[in-house]
Amino acid sequence: MTIILSTLNARYAHASLGLRYLMANMGPLQQQTRIQEFVIGAKTTEVVEKLLAGQPRVIGFGIYIWNVEETTRVVAMLKRVAPQVVIVLGGPEVSHESAEQHIVQLADYLVTGWGDVTFLKLCGEILYGPKPLMKVHAGVQPPMAEIAMPYSLYSDNDIAHRTLYVEASRGCPFKCEFCLSALDKTAWPFALDTFLAELETLHARGARLFKFVDRTFNLNIKTSLKIMQFFLDKLAANPDDPVYAHFELVPDHLPDALKEGIARFPPGALQFEIGIQSFNPEVQALVSRRQDNAKAAENIRWLCEHSHAHLHVDLIAGLPGEDVASFARGFDQLVALKPHEIQFGILKRLRGTPIIRHTEAFGMVFDPYPPYTILATRDIDFGTMLRLVRFARYWDLVANSGRFVNTLPAMLGEAPFENFMAFSDWIYSQTDATHRIALDRLAALVTQWLHVRGMGKDAAQALVGSDYAGERPKQVAAAPQRQARHMAA
């Protein structure tokens, strides 16, 4: 092979959509190109050995916040053992502030932004001349209709064992300063009929789990309804062979027509990721986030009470101007709405995002190494931020896992944030760990905590025992296992 497209995915289940877009748009060079994916944690020497086995002349790497450190080691080794191989980088992590990055200094070329057509052009010049004079090539954004669809490049193995990422549009019209989409001017849709035809082909090949990467699925309601109808038709035609779809939803934009469509989905067929991030209007204004909090809360409540959709709602700790008390109020407000999962995230400074403008005024200190997590702010000191990080991890283990559905309300009481923070501090004092806590040990610790807080030992054991029976929950429709636990509760 002359050209290899490669990346290190966060998990095997994550099939790279970006590489498949590049492959689909390689035109006359497609026959000389192949995709070779790896998973973070792989040995550098083994990755390099496998890449060089095909004797490539060009290797293109997709660089993201989660793989930049490991890919840097791969590129450094490639440059030592095979300096004749041309290394081209692309992806969000290297598209901004690139001059200071070691991996960019090691590589031969860099494509920033959209790579669909620019990577092909660059490879042609590398292979056949004239040799490119510039190292950095700004990606050209082509008309959406000229971008070849990548979905036929999902293999049968991908369809059988991996989540399939799809997108009906690119970009985002919103300007939230912690997100790279803040740099977009708008959202650009793909031709809907063409996109739905691709979904039809994937479904006919056996695909059942579809994760939409669109930043704003419900921006255009007519489009949203047509896409949902595609899945509803599949569910109606094959109720014993259900599909599962994941969308990112704008929380304060849920008109009646969309509610009617959502209400038709059976349990386990639909998941929404909903970004709240903060309920504090002053913080929202600081980071340029437009959100009607009352409408957002009303819509989340409606989804919980009148639909079977699984709700994964996001909050971010460490935003400029938000102290612990403000975050706690937002957290308690969200708990009261009863979404299935609350993703407690810690702010990260993605390269290129405008959030950096608040650094001095709000004393924002970020880890200099990926994933560039906030370490302290004017309002939250380093020690407290670490407590929040541990809270987030234990919340994922206990609440989001769906393994303690009956026990969780007793742990949270009338002051969810305060009470779970007390549990978080206590369990850390007992374990000195946030990872590698076996489920049976976690259940024992939760039982002990309930007893410490005043519940009788027998009652605590019975309550936790009602959740922790050592049995897998009955699978609900096509939902993944973790979601199935919530839906079965």
Side-chain angles (χ1 to χ4, degrees):
M1 280 297 149
T2 303
I3 303 166
I4 292 178
L5 299 169
S6 188
T7 196
L8 277 69
N9 295 316
R11 296 184 180 91
Y12 170 75
H14 298 176
S16 173
L17 181 60
L19 294 189
R20 286 163 177 78
Y21 264 114
L22 292 178
M23 183 69 165
N25 289 276
M26 286 303 287
L29 297 183
Q30 190 176 76
Q31 295 302 313
Q32 303 175 50
T33 307
R34 68 180 170 91
I35 292 172
Q36 196 164 1
E37 295 175 274
F38 301 91
V39 179
I40 56 173
K43 287 186 177 180
T44 302
T45 50
E46 293 180 359
V47 172
V48 170
E49 180 183 30
K50 291 175 181 177
L51 287 169
L52 293 179
Q55 298 182 319
R57 292 181 60 188
V58 179
I59 302 177
F61 286 102
I63 311 299
Y64 301 86
I65 195 171
W66 63 80
N67 72 14
V68 61
E69 290 188 313
E70 293 190 27
T71 312
T72 300
R73 292 196 290 271
V74 171
V75 172
M77 188 174 291
L78 280 166
K79 279 302 173 186
R80 284 179 176 266
V81 301
Q84 75 282 3
V85 176
V86 177
I87 304 297
V88 182
L89 307 179
E93 175 63 11
V94 290
S95 287
H96 307 278
E97 305 171 27
S98 56
E100 64 193 58
Q101 297 186 59
H102 183 46
I103 192 171
V104 175
Q105 295 163 8
L106 289 168
D108 297 287
Y109 299 102
L110 168 66
V111 175
T112 62
W114 297 48
D116 304 274
V117 299
T118 304
F119 181 74
L120 167 63
K121 181 176 182 293
L122 179 59
C123 285
E125 293 171 354
I126 292 169
L127 295 174
Y128 306 114
K131 182 179 179 180
L133 298 177
M134 305 297 292
K135 179 169 184 171
V136 180
H137 298 255
V140 173
Q141 180 178 335
M144 300 301 283
E146 294 181 10
I147 300 175
M149 294 288 97
Y151 304 110
S152 64
L153 295 170
Y154 283 124
S155 68
D156 291 342
N157 184 69
D158 294 334
I159 290 172
H161 300 292
R162 307 172 83 180
T163 299
L164 301 190
Y165 293 91
V166 298
E167 60 177 0
S169 65
R170 288 188 186 175
C172 180
F174 301 108
K175 302 300 177 186
C176 307
E177 295 179 12
F178 48 80
C179 180
L180 270 174
S181 295
L183 305 179
D184 295 331
K185 296 179 181 180
T186 185
W188 300 275
F190 287 97
L192 185 56
D193 289 344
T194 301
F195 175 71
L196 290 176
E198 295 287 339
L199 292 190
E200 183 71 49
T201 300
L202 282 175
H203 185 271
R205 293 178 60 201
R208 295 297 180 267
L209 271 68
F210 298 82
K211 185 166 185 177
F212 282 70
V213 298
D214 303 56
R215 307 302 297 174
T216 50
F217 169 71
N218 57 326
L219 185 64
N220 184 316
I221 299 303
K222 289 183 178 179
T223 298
S224 305
L225 290 172
K226 288 182 179 179
I227 292 173
M228 288 201 306
Q229 190 62 51
F230 170 86
F231 290 105
L232 287 168
D233 289 345
K234 299 305 178 191
L235 288 162
N238 302 283
D240 296 326
D241 185 20
V243 292
Y244 176 83
H246 172 114
F247 302 105
E248 186 166 334
L249 202 67
V250 179
D252 54 3
H253 185 50
L254 203 65
D256 289 343
L258 198 57
K259 288 181 178 179
E260 291 171 9
I262 291 169
R264 294 169 59 195
F265 280 82
L270 191 59
Q271 172 164 298
F272 289 131
E273 184 169 347
I274 301 173
I276 291 295
Q277 319 312 2
S278 173
F279 272 121
N280 185 323
E282 294 178 1
V283 174
Q284 291 170 337
L286 275 172
V287 297
S288 307
R289 182 171 180 82
R290 291 178 291 145
Q291 180 171 284
D292 184 328
N293 288 334
K295 180 61 70 173
E298 176 188 326
N299 288 339
I300 292 172
R301 184 178 293 108
W302 182 91
L303 288 166
C304 291
E305 295 177 355
H306 300 285
S307 82
H308 296 298
H310 184 272
L311 303 188
H312 176 128
V313 187
D314 298 339
L315 288 176
I316 297 178
L319 290 170
E322 182 132 69
D323 58 17
V324 173
S326 169
F327 183 85
R329 288 192 296 272
F331 183 88
D332 288 351
Q333 183 177 350
L334 192 52
V335 169
L337 297 175
K338 300 181 179 180
H340 301 93
E341 297 188 32
I342 297 174
Q343 182 64 46
F344 183 161
I346 308 297
L347 179 66
K348 296 172 179 59
R349 192 193 82 79
L350 304 180
R351 291 183 182 275
T353 54
I355 194 78
I356 195 67
R357 73 186 182 94
H358 300 292
T359 298
E360 184 175 351
F362 290 92
M364 303 176 76
V365 180
F366 293 92
D367 190 333
Y369 300 102
Y372 316 113
T373 305
I374 189 79
L375 300 175
T377 70
R378 183 192 67 185
D379 301 296
I380 303 176
D381 62 31
F382 177 62
T384 304
M385 195 70 76
L386 291 184
R387 291 176 66 208
L388 291 172
V389 171
R390 291 192 288 268
F391 182 117
R393 174 57 183 163
Y394 296 130
W395 180 262
D396 204 47
L397 287 175
V398 175
N400 289 342
S401 69
R403 296 185 184 277
F404 296 91
V405 175
N406 297 319
T407 306
L408 188 63
M411 297 177 70
L412 300 183
E414 298 300 316
F417 182 88
E418 178 184 346
N419 289 335
F420 200 87
M421 179 60 86
F423 167 74
S424 175
D425 291 340
W426 175 84
I427 191 174
Y428 185 69
S429 73
Q430 300 296 305
T431 64
D432 195 31
T434 56
H435 292 76
R436 297 185 177 89
I437 301 175
L439 180 57
D440 55 351
R441 187 185 183 202
L442 180 62
L445 287 163
V446 170
T447 303
Q448 185 181 349
W449 169 249
L450 292 173
H451 185 50
V452 167
R453 298 288 277 189
M455 184 179 290
K457 190 172 183 179
D458 291 343
Q461 288 178 339
L463 181 57
V464 176
S466 69
D467 286 319
Y468 180 60
E471 296 177 357
R472 291 167 65 89
K474 181 181 179 181
Q475 191 77 1
V476 180
Q481 189 66 28
R482 177 153 139 168
Q483 287 84 337
R485 294 190 196 106
H486 293 287
M487 305 304 291

